[in-house]
Amino acid sequence: MLLFRLSMKLVVIGAGYVGLVTAAVFAQFGNSVIVVEIDKNRIRQLSEGKIPFFEPGLEELIKSNVKTERLSITDSYQKAIPQSEIIFLCVGTPTKNGRADLSSIYSSVKSIAENLKNKVTVVIKSTVPPGTNEKVRKVFEKTTKVEIELASVPEFLREGKAIEDTLHPYRVVIGARNKDTIKKLLKLHQKISGKRMVCSPESAQMIKYASNAFLPSKISFANSIARICDNFGINIEEVMKGMGMDKRIGPDFLNAGLGYGGSCFPKDIDALLYLSESVGYDFSILKAVKKTNNDQVDFFVNKIISLCSGSVKGKILVVLGLSFKPNTSDMREARSLYVIHRLQKLGAVVRACDPVAISEAVKVLCKADFYVDPYEALKGADGLVLVTEWDEYKNLDFVKIKKIMKSPIVADGRNIYNREGLEKLGFTYEGIGK
Ligand code: UGA
């Protein structure tokens, strides 16, 4: 006899990256999924089949599951909650004054509790500090008599590769104590590949924070080595390649450049630093990771100044790539914001170029001129400043660019270009540690 039905009634709270991807993937597996979102504007966009951000493959997946009625979106907890078997909390947990702001978690938990009719499993997917489950349990107990099971299944997807990462993660971490809850969640995830790890909810939450602190530590380490390589004329890419061949180190997240941005690493590092301070521990390694990352922007801007013979005042500089990384329109903590701000402060005229993020970038960058076509942007420019390594920028026609630019200068913040090739064409090139 099957202990649980193969398809389940799921509710996902929050139509952000994590919520929409979770909902779409589980609907695709045949479950019935209702997404609850309180932002009416977002619901309207989604009901017109539009995804509020750029994520490859997501729009098609959402559309096809809405069509087959496996997936629906509402702002009504009253409509969604009573029939649900598993509820996923996928709301944002930004940092406020350095600590994780859990107000959206608590307000959605209250709304869930007010509408519960039957026993349900509530799974926290949002990144939250250890101990949150017990606080959430108290909110439930205050508001309802209905029995709930709490679990923590942290999200490890990357923007730009969200669907691939959800279908084929390295691991699925199930943080729960109740045996039936663990079985139910293992069953729900059975079509997803990757290793399984069952542990306490607190460990699951700490695994997420520790992972989101360790990966940027690798990046800052690579960037620190790059600073030394830069002085000795050593190529950082060769060094990291050789280092990454050691299985204990691994080749990923060792790309030196302008450093990390995005909605996750910077906020989770701050939240973990807050957590460590709250127990009286000085997490000095993590502080250095953060400082190293911030310093990379200054280091890069100083290179641009040297390339421009000591001053960028009045120079037309084309920044290629605005989003915090390729394949996303997300501008949160994008390095481009910091680089552009510094250059503008120093008197440069910035032309900002990106294949998809301009609609987001205009909200946060006021003084720049925006371009989609890099060649248009580069006409008459004094310098090309590569900030985000979109594929579109990897194979540019530099023979053509040499003809249209005023000064043949390339500052490569992600080490995607070949110094020798560019120098042969007459460009002056600077990368980071190469
Ligand atoms: C990150 C984690 O990789 C995911 O596992 C996690 O689920 C997610 O945060 C989250 O907490 O939701 P994401 O922020 O989408 O994912 O982006 P990453 O691909 O990890 O890149 C983060 C930043 O690091 C980018 O700015 C990227 O340019 C930079 N980076 C990455 C480097 O500078 N060097 C590298 O070698 C790799």
Side-chain angles (χ1 to χ4, degrees):
M1 193 183 81
L2 272 177
L3 193 54
F4 302 106
R5 281 183 300 104
L6 280 174
S7 88
M8 298 186 204
K9 288 184 179 150
L10 312 180
V11 168
V12 171
I13 312 291
Y17 266 99
V18 175
L20 284 180
V21 175
T22 304
V25 166
F26 282 128
Q28 184 68 17
F29 290 157
N31 298 288
S32 146
V33 186
I34 305 178
V35 178
V36 181
E37 169 59 58
I38 50 169
D39 180 341
K40 291 214 161 52
N41 198 26
R42 192 159 270 211
I43 296 187
R44 187 183 44 74
Q45 273 182 297
L46 286 164
S47 55
E48 288 165 7
K50 287 183 204 138
I51 304 299
F53 42 79
F54 177 79
E55 180 60 43
L58 184 59
E59 193 162 300
E60 295 76 6
L61 203 60
I62 298 258
K63 269 188 186 162
S64 72
N65 283 287
V66 167
K67 205 170 168 193
T68 54
E69 294 180 357
R70 282 195 296 255
L71 179 62
S72 61
I73 295 149
T74 177
D75 63 351
S76 167
Y77 279 84
Q78 204 182 359
K79 194 174 139 199
I81 300 299
Q83 305 305 321
S84 57
E85 292 168 87
I86 302 179
I87 301 172
F88 285 98
L89 275 174
C90 301
V91 294
T93 54
T95 38
K96 196 172 171 189
N97 305 325
R99 65 189 292 189
D101 176 4
L102 302 181
S103 51
S104 298
I105 293 272
Y106 295 128
S107 62
S108 28
V109 164
K110 203 161 171 286
S111 304
I112 294 168
E114 285 164 356
N115 290 285
L116 273 181
K117 297 272 184 283
N118 306 307
K119 184 180 173 185
V120 75
T121 302
V122 176
V123 179
I124 303 184
K125 266 194 112 53
S126 311
T127 304
V128 295
T132 302
N133 283 32
E134 281 321 300
K135 291 182 188 156
V136 162
R137 183 179 298 286
K138 282 194 183 126
V139 178
F140 273 116
E141 282 170 357
K142 253 196 204 164
T143 324
T144 178
K145 296 255 170 307
V146 178
E147 201 184 332
I148 50 134
E149 280 303 333
L150 274 173
S152 186
V153 179
E155 184 53 68
F156 296 104
L157 65 82
R158 286 164 297 177
E159 288 183 22
K161 290 189 176 148
I163 293 168
E164 188 190 320
D165 280 357
T166 305
L167 292 172
H168 308 290
Y170 292 114
R171 75 298 207 192
V172 174
V173 175
I174 295 181
R177 292 201 168 83
N178 178 290
K179 278 193 184 136
D180 280 348
T181 305
I182 294 168
K183 273 190 200 156
K184 198 195 251 187
L185 291 174
L186 285 171
K187 185 101 203 159
L188 181 69
H189 287 83
Q190 68 180 356
K191 290 186 184 159
I192 291 175
S193 64
K195 292 180 181 161
R196 299 294 183 264
M197 159 114 194
V198 177
C199 57
S200 72
E202 294 73 28
S203 293
Q205 287 151 357
M206 205 51 168
I207 288 169
K208 169 70 190 215
Y209 274 119
S211 303
N212 270 14
F214 188 74
L215 291 170
S217 304
K218 287 186 86 176
I219 299 170
S220 280
F221 187 87
N223 281 332
S224 297
I225 298 289
R227 296 288 285 270
I228 306 170
C229 288
D230 217 81
N231 271 285
F232 284 103
I234 301 169
N235 187 333
I236 182 71
E237 287 172 333
E238 286 180 359
V239 177
M240 289 302 124
K241 190 175 169 196
M243 213 177 114
M245 282 174 178
D246 185 329
K247 266 195 177 173
R248 294 168 302 174
I249 298 171
D252 298 328
F253 281 74
L254 290 177
N255 293 325
L258 264 164
Y260 59 83
S263 65
C264 304
F265 289 167
K267 102 172 154 59
D268 292 345
I269 284 179
D270 282 346
L272 190 53
L273 283 171
Y274 183 90
L275 206 64
S276 71
E277 262 167 38
S278 74
V279 294
Y281 175 63
D282 179 18
F283 202 154
S284 51
I285 295 178
L286 205 51
K287 286 181 184 164
V289 167
K290 190 175 162 179
K291 184 179 180 312
T292 304
N293 198 54
N294 294 340
D295 289 350
Q296 279 310 96
V297 171
D298 291 340
F299 176 62
F300 185 58
V301 169
N302 287 339
K303 281 198 169 226
I304 300 169
I305 296 170
S306 312
L307 281 168
C308 293
S309 315
S311 171
V312 295
K313 198 159 190 237
K315 296 270 161 69
I316 298 173
L317 298 177
V318 176
V319 170
L320 293 186
L322 304 175
S323 53
F324 85 91
K325 65 172 188 177
N327 288 319
T328 177
S329 55
D330 199 336
M331 289 294 297
R332 286 175 286 180
E333 284 298 312
R335 297 296 92 187
S336 65
L337 297 175
Y338 294 92
V339 172
I340 291 174
H341 184 69
R342 284 284 320 274
L343 293 174
Q344 286 178 332
K345 235 176 145 187
L346 293 164
V349 177
V350 174
R351 293 180 183 169
C353 191
D354 194 282
V356 304
I358 287 177
S359 56
E360 290 302 310
V362 289
K363 297 178 193 164
V364 280
L365 287 168
C366 43
K367 281 191 286 169
D369 295 321
F370 294 95
Y371 291 80
V372 175
D373 181 351
Y375 298 102
E376 271 302 308
L378 287 162
K379 268 185 203 157
D382 293 294
L384 181 162
V385 177
L386 188 284
V387 170
T388 308
E389 68 279 29
W390 283 92
D391 279 346
E392 282 84 342
Y393 303 144
K394 287 184 178 160
N395 297 306
L396 290 175
D397 180 348
F398 275 98
V399 174
K400 179 173 167 183
I401 289 174
K402 173 83 187 348
K403 286 183 192 144
I404 60 176
M405 279 182 83
K406 197 161 128 205
S407 323
I409 282 172
V410 174
D412 181 0
R414 298 289 174 184
N415 288 345
I416 64 170
Y417 299 127
N418 176 282
R419 175 189 286 275
E420 273 179 22
L422 285 180
E423 285 179 350
K424 261 191 204 145
L425 289 174
F427 284 88
T428 312
Y429 172 89
E430 275 296 329
I432 290 185
K434 77 172 216 178

